[in-house]
Amino acid sequence: MASGLPSDSPQDISTRLLEIFEKKALCQTADLEDEDDRVDEEQDDELAEHDSLLIGAAADCVAEFAEVFADAFEPIMDTFLPHISGYANPTFATSERAMSVGCLAEISKNMGPSITKYAETLFQAFMEGLGDRDLEVRSNSAYGVGALIESATIDASPYFGDVLKAVYPLIKLEDNTNNARDNAAGCVARLILENADAVPLADVIPVWISALPIRKDHLEDIPVYDAVCHLLKTKRAEIEPSLPALTPVLKQALEDPASLISSESKQYLSSL
């Protein structure tokens, strides 16, 4: 995909995207000193909403860059990271904070092992996001910290306790607003897949299963049911007391046409 682009296209696109994050793009820089460009309060609100949508679209583009260019994305990441992470500051609007951690989460997934260079910075951003006052920011942060731990090549197990404590309130939510329960369940699954021995399974599994099956964000089916299979295949004793609760969850997930269980896990679970 990247090979079909002119050699200078990534740099050109990056320059334009950077202008948007810095709010210096032509469409963001109306000269309010000119009488023709004066706006009333209602128009100002509309411009702010337009600006937020534009920055969000730019963030989506950067995340896709990470998938297309993989290891070659590093120089671009060096440029964009401070700008994107800056929008997570509590002084910014909810939509911008959610955009920031959501974009960083997708980059963490899309860059794969090369995200390791940025692991410390991103981990701090996601953990701060998990303490945000807004549920959407917390939900995106739960997905992000799980994706980071999955992708990075460093041992994050010493921090599993902090992560589990931070996502616990999302797991216990009564509904799945902003996919919060789904993302929290996916995060726990990624910790189990990364290092089950570093997870207090006897305490975590019953709470985790109570958040299943995945309701809406079915991409989280993949780590969740891969983790279930891992626990069953390795005969972890901690999952046995939860099997009565797990059985109907698996039945529902396997029968749901929207489920995105990996083929290997689906075959294994269907054989039980």
Side-chain angles (χ1 to χ4, degrees):
M1 185 172 181
S3 61
L5 293 171
S7 60
D8 58 345
S9 289
Q11 185 58 50
D12 290 344
I13 297 171
S14 296
T15 299
R16 299 294 173 259
L17 292 174
L18 189 60
E19 289 175 354
I20 293 172
F21 285 116
E22 293 177 338
K23 298 189 177 184
K24 295 178 180 178
L26 184 61
C27 58
Q28 297 170 295
T29 55
D31 185 0
L32 298 182
E33 294 303 315
D34 293 342
E35 185 175 350
D36 291 342
D37 286 330
R38 293 187 186 278
V39 294
D40 57 29
E41 185 174 345
E42 182 177 350
Q43 289 174 312
D44 192 49
D45 289 342
E46 291 177 358
L47 287 171
E49 182 179 358
H50 171 269
D51 203 41
S52 179
L53 291 171
L54 181 63
I55 292 170
D60 290 342
C61 188
V62 173
E64 290 302 313
F65 259 36
E67 183 169 24
V68 172
F69 294 105
D71 291 346
F73 182 73
E74 265 195 39
I76 301 174
M77 180 65 164
D78 290 339
T79 298
F80 282 106
L81 180 57
H83 296 280
I84 296 172
S85 60
Y87 281 96
N89 190 292
T91 59
F92 283 93
T94 295
S95 60
E96 292 173 321
R97 299 197 312 278
M99 172 279 297
S100 173
V101 293
C103 177
L104 295 175
E106 290 298 329
I107 290 172
S108 296
K109 175 179 73 73
N110 291 342
M111 281 188 72
S114 58
I115 198 64
T116 304
K117 172 182 174 181
Y118 312 97
E120 184 176 350
T121 298
L122 293 176
F123 183 80
Q124 181 178 347
F126 293 137
M127 293 302 290
E128 289 177 357
L130 280 164
D132 194 273
R133 61 185 179 272
D134 184 80
L135 181 59
E136 184 179 5
V137 178
R138 298 198 301 274
S139 176
N140 288 353
S141 298
Y143 170 70
V145 74
L148 176 65
I149 289 171
E150 179 182 33
S151 293
T153 58
I154 58 175
D155 178 19
S157 57
Y159 305 101
F160 279 15
D162 293 335
V163 174
L164 290 167
K165 182 178 179 180
V167 301
Y168 178 80
L170 301 181
I171 287 275
K172 295 299 290 180
L173 288 172
E174 293 184 1
D175 58 35
N176 189 42
T177 303
N178 295 121
N179 295 334
R181 282 179 61 180
D182 288 351
N183 284 334
C187 177
V188 173
R190 290 178 172 91
L191 300 189
I192 292 172
L193 289 167
E194 185 68 19
N195 186 358
D197 291 331
V199 177
L201 295 174
D203 296 325
V204 167
I205 288 174
V207 180
W208 178 51
I209 291 176
S210 73
L212 302 178
I214 295 297
R215 299 292 195 274
K216 185 175 179 181
D217 189 357
H218 285 286
L219 286 173
E220 296 306 280
D221 284 328
I222 298 172
V224 162
Y225 296 108
D226 283 355
V228 169
C229 289
H230 174 71
L231 294 172
L232 293 173
K233 289 178 179 179
T234 55
K235 303 186 185 304
R236 299 299 298 240
E238 297 92 338
I239 199 171
E240 291 182 9
S242 296
L243 289 178
L246 179 61
T247 299
V249 167
L250 296 179
K251 184 176 185 295
Q252 184 175 342
L254 289 168
E255 293 176 351
D256 186 353
S259 292
L260 296 174
I261 306 171
S262 67
S263 57
E264 182 179 348
S265 292
K266 190 169 188 177
Q267 182 178 5
Y268 177 77
L269 294 173
S270 298
S271 69
L272 297 178

